[in-house]
Amino acid sequence: MQLGAYSFGDTPRDADGTLGSTSDAIRNLFDAIVHADQHGLDYFGVGEHHTLDMPASSPGAMIAAAAGATKNIILGSGVSVISTDDPIRVFQQFATADAVSGGRVEITAGRGSSVESFPLFGYDLADYDRLYEEKLELLRAANDAGSDARVTWSGTVRAPIDGLEVVPRPVRGRLPIWVGTGGSAPSSMRAGRLGMPVSYGIIGGAPARFAPLVDLYRRTAASAGHAGDEIRVSVAALGLIAPTKQEALDRFYPGWHAMNMSMVEKRGWPAPQTEHFLAQAHGAGAYYVGDPDDVAERIADLHGHLGHMRHFLQMDFGGLPQEHLLESIELLATEVKPRVERLLAAK
C-alpha cells in the first residue's frame, strides 16, 4: 500500500484571518513535497484550483520544480483539469518533469471538481463531458506515440494533429495516466473500458460505499480484456495526523470550518456543523484525522472494502499552520505506513 499526500496549495492566513500571500502558499507546498520525500512518503499529488485560498493552478510547473529537488517520491497531478487545458501541452510538461525526475511522474486526468477553469480559459460548462472525453483521447494518443513520437488525432474541441512529433518522450516510454473521479459510474466504466487506473476522490460520507463502483470498474476492465498492473485503484481523502487523536481534531477543525464557510459563500454549501465533522472524523467516516494507530486502522479497514493500492490525504486547507502539515506528513510516512503494512500483512 502506497501512502501519500495531495494539495491544492493553502494560502496562509494573517493574524486577523485574512488571506496572506499566494506566493507563500506555493513555497510552502514545494517545501512540503521535499519534506515528504525526505521522510519516505510514497506519493505527492498537486491538484489544480484557481482561487486565492487554493492557488496551485499549475500542477505541471509545481511538479517540474519538485522533480529536481526530490529523489524517490512519485509525483503526480491530483487532478489535471484536462477539459480546459491543451492535452499536448500537459503531456509535454509532465514528460519534461518525468525526465528531470528520472521517471517518477504520473498524470491524473480529471474533469475538475473546481469549475473556475472553464470561464478562466474560455470554455463552456455545457461542453463538460465532450471536452473531457475528446481531450482524454488526445492525451492518451500523445502518451501512446511510438518511437517516432508522431501523433495523429482529430476531434471537435481542438484543431486536428496529423503526424506531428510530440516531445520529449517519458523515461519509461509512457507516463502512467489515471482517470480521476469523484465517484461516478460512467467514469468508473470509462476507466475500466480504456484499461486505465482510477483514482477516487472521497471527501465525505462513508468511503466503503465506493465498493460497488470499484467492482464495476474491475468488471468493466475484465470484460474489455484488461488486466495486470494497469487496473489499479487509489483513494484521495481528507485527513491529518498528529501525536494524539485530540490534537489532530483540534488542528484540523479550524481549517475545515474555514474552507466550508468559504464554500457557503461561493457554492451555496450548507453551513458546517461540528457534529458532522466529528462523525466524519471517526470510525467509517471519510476524514482520516487522528493519531497514527487510528488512521492506520481506518486505512487498512477501507482496503478490505476497496482493495486500493494507494491512499493519499489532503491535509492543508483553511490556513493550516505549515508546521502542523509537515509533522503530519512525517507521521504518515514514518508511523502510519509501517502500521498499515503490518495490519495488511496480518489479514
Side-chain angles (χ1 to χ4, degrees):
M1 167 76 79
Q2 294 180 359
L3 297 185
Y6 73 106
S7 174
F8 297 103
D10 181 23
T11 303
R13 267 58 171 178
D14 294 332
D16 62 358
T18 58
L19 290 171
S21 163
T22 52
S23 61
D24 284 347
I26 297 301
R27 184 69 210 186
N28 285 345
L29 174 54
F30 175 82
D31 290 344
I33 298 172
V34 173
H35 186 75
D37 181 60
Q38 291 172 340
H39 287 85
L41 205 61
D42 298 306
Y43 173 80
F44 208 110
V46 178
E48 179 181 339
H49 273 205
H50 300 267
T51 60
L52 283 171
D53 55 347
M54 294 184 182
S57 60
S58 180
M62 193 77 237
I63 289 169
T70 56
K71 296 180 179 178
N72 299 305
I73 195 166
I74 300 169
L75 302 167
S77 52
V79 303
S80 293
V81 184
I82 197 70
S83 306
T84 55
D85 211 331
D86 188 302
I88 296 297
R89 202 64 177 141
V90 170
F91 176 83
Q92 291 174 323
Q93 291 167 346
F94 280 75
T96 299
D98 187 63
V100 174
S101 76
R104 294 184 282 116
V105 169
E106 303 180 347
I107 298 173
T108 299
R111 294 189 289 189
S113 60
S114 173
V115 297
E116 286 84 5
S117 63
F118 281 78
L120 185 62
F121 297 120
Y123 289 95
D124 189 339
L125 271 171
D127 298 326
Y128 190 77
D129 290 325
R130 184 164 60 99
L131 283 166
Y132 181 72
E133 185 168 352
E134 291 194 15
K135 291 195 173 185
L136 180 62
E137 180 183 78
L138 176 54
L139 180 64
R140 283 165 47 81
N143 199 35
D144 292 339
S147 57
D148 63 357
R150 295 187 180 278
V151 174
T152 297
W153 176 90
S154 64
T156 65
V157 300
R158 184 195 186 280
I161 299 175
D162 186 10
L164 298 180
E165 294 176 347
V166 176
V167 292
R169 304 308 303 170
V171 172
R172 294 180 172 80
R174 298 172 71 251
L175 295 174
I177 299 179
W178 296 66
V179 169
T181 173
S184 79
S187 293
S188 300
M189 295 177 68
R190 175 189 288 118
R193 185 175 66 254
L194 297 175
M196 300 175 68
V198 64
S199 183
Y200 290 104
I202 306 177
I203 59 173
R209 77 184 192 282
F210 277 65
L213 283 174
V214 172
D215 182 60
L216 175 64
Y217 160 68
R218 291 189 172 121
R219 285 190 287 110
T220 304
S223 297
H226 300 298
D229 290 343
E230 285 299 298
I231 306 306
R232 293 178 289 168
V233 175
S234 71
V235 169
L238 307 182
L240 189 76
I241 301 98
T244 69
K245 176 86 176 183
Q246 191 58 53
E247 285 175 295
L249 292 170
D250 292 343
R251 293 176 182 182
F252 192 76
Y253 181 80
W256 175 85
H257 187 271
M259 185 269 288
N260 276 272
M261 285 303 297
S262 73
M263 290 301 178
V264 171
E265 300 173 4
K266 294 176 181 175
R267 300 186 186 178
W269 285 17
Q273 302 292 324
T274 302
E275 296 77 10
H276 173 76
F277 168 75
L278 292 174
Q280 289 292 304
H282 290 82
Y287 302 163
Y288 293 81
V289 179
D291 58 61
D293 284 321
D294 175 54
V295 172
E297 289 167 5
R298 295 173 62 202
I299 291 174
D301 178 73
L302 185 63
H303 181 269
H305 296 279
L306 306 186
H308 56 309
M309 53 70 64
R310 178 184 293 162
H311 195 108
F312 54 113
L313 300 175
Q314 183 187 6
M315 310 174 191
D316 58 332
F317 48 79
L320 181 76
Q322 179 75 351
E323 63 268 27
H324 292 170
L325 171 63
L326 299 182
E327 184 177 24
S328 180
I329 288 172
E330 183 175 344
L331 289 171
L332 183 63
T334 62
E335 299 293 336
V336 177
K337 183 175 172 60
R339 285 168 168 78
V340 170
E341 291 173 346
R342 284 197 296 270
L343 290 167
L344 294 182
K347 286 188 174 180

